Amino acid sequence: FFFFKQKTAYEMLRSLVGSEMCIRDRSNRTPLGKEELKKVNSLIGNLMEDDDSFEFRQPVDVDALGLTDYFDIVKNPMDLGTIKKNLRANKYKSVEDILEMIQLVWDNCKTYNKEGSWIYNLAIKLEKSTKKLMKTYFPQINPPRSKVNKEEAEESGNDNDESNSCLLYTSDAADDLLCVDLGGRRIINK
């Protein structure tokens, strides 16, 4: 993380990273209030009721499927059932946190499986369903971008790998400091 006095968070980041990188403000997240929880539960319920979601409702059984390299390739396993369990345990702070976890389910599948395989295609189909449901339940929130799907980069007119990586920042108004996460690298500079 970088910490520094800020003029405006966005201006400071833009001057640091240039215009090529996506910058996403994590401080403007939608808190999980009663109404948001109801909508998120409906969204996840709709996904889990979809006949095509069977393979995504529980963790991948790597032993039964003989996937000895799964955890070498998929660093953060996630499934819809785990998301639902974590939601009940209040492990998420915002709607966006949950939507990113749902996107992780689809990204993990597309990362591990061959493009064009039946399971890869199911992930694409369910990813599209998720985005439609998001427009219904959370029209004000932009869907998280896939870290795997190059179609999104092509739709945005930018097909380089960096277009899917975002710089995340949180503004701390109490201390007038800006905290920046550079893609998992934590750097502190006061």
Side-chain angles (χ1 to χ4, degrees), residues 132-181:
K132 286 179 186 173
L133 289 167
M134 278 186 60
K135 286 181 184 178
T136 301
Y137 292 113
F138 303 104
Q140 76 283 7
I141 297 176
N142 291 325
R145 295 190 63 182
S146 172
K147 293 180 175 46
V148 178
N149 192 350
K150 294 187 180 190
E151 291 170 12
E152 284 185 5
E154 290 167 4
E155 286 172 12
S156 69
N158 188 353
D159 60 356
N160 67 29
D161 290 339
E162 290 179 349
S163 70
N164 285 333
S165 63
C166 284
L167 185 65
L168 305 176
Y169 73 93
T170 303
S171 178
D172 184 350
D175 294 328
D176 196 32
L177 294 173
L178 181 68
C179 173
V180 179
D181 180 354

Side-chain angles (χ1 to χ4, degrees), residues 27-181:
S27 61
N28 289 337
R29 298 203 148 213
T30 309
L32 281 173
K34 189 175 182 180
E35 188 63 30
E36 289 78 18
L37 279 171
K38 188 176 177 182
K39 290 178 182 180
V40 165
N41 277 312
S42 293
L43 187 148
I44 293 171
N46 281 319
L47 288 172
M48 291 186 80
E49 289 171 9
D50 188 314
D51 291 338
D52 291 327
S53 73
F54 179 78
E55 303 294 337
F56 303 98
R57 295 177 195 162
Q58 62 283 325
V60 173
D61 189 344
V62 295
D63 294 328
L65 296 170
L67 307 176
T68 57
D69 61 348
Y70 186 79
F71 296 115
D72 294 330
I73 296 168
V74 174
K75 301 301 181 193
N76 298 306
M78 188 52 60
D79 62 273
L80 297 174
T82 299
I83 294 170
K84 194 167 186 168
K85 183 177 92 177
N86 289 343
L87 185 59
R88 276 187 251 128
N90 297 314
K91 291 191 176 184
Y92 302 116
K93 294 181 180 178
S94 71
V95 172
E96 290 85 351
D97 290 342
I98 297 162
L99 298 175
E100 287 169 3
M101 288 297 104
I102 295 170
Q103 184 61 50
L104 180 61
V105 174
W106 316 139
D107 283 350
N108 284 347
C109 179
K110 293 185 295 180
T111 297
Y112 187 79
N113 295 285
K114 184 179 177 185
E115 188 172 353
S117 66
W118 68 275
I119 192 77
Y120 186 103
N121 290 338
L122 278 181
I124 295 283
K125 181 180 178 187
L126 290 164
E127 182 177 24
K128 288 177 182 176
S129 294
T130 302
K131 289 180 181 180
K132 286 179 186 173
L133 289 167
M134 278 186 60
K135 286 181 184 178
T136 301
Y137 292 113
F138 303 104
Q140 76 283 7
I141 297 176
N142 291 325
R145 295 190 63 182
S146 172
K147 293 180 175 46
V148 178
N149 192 350
K150 294 187 180 190
E151 291 170 12
E152 284 185 5
E154 290 167 4
E155 286 172 12
S156 69
N158 188 353
D159 60 356
N160 67 29
D161 290 339
E162 290 179 349
S163 70
N164 285 333
S165 63
C166 284
L167 185 65
L168 305 176
Y169 73 93
T170 303
S171 178
D172 184 350
D175 294 328
D176 196 32
L177 294 173
L178 181 68
C179 173
V180 179
D181 180 354

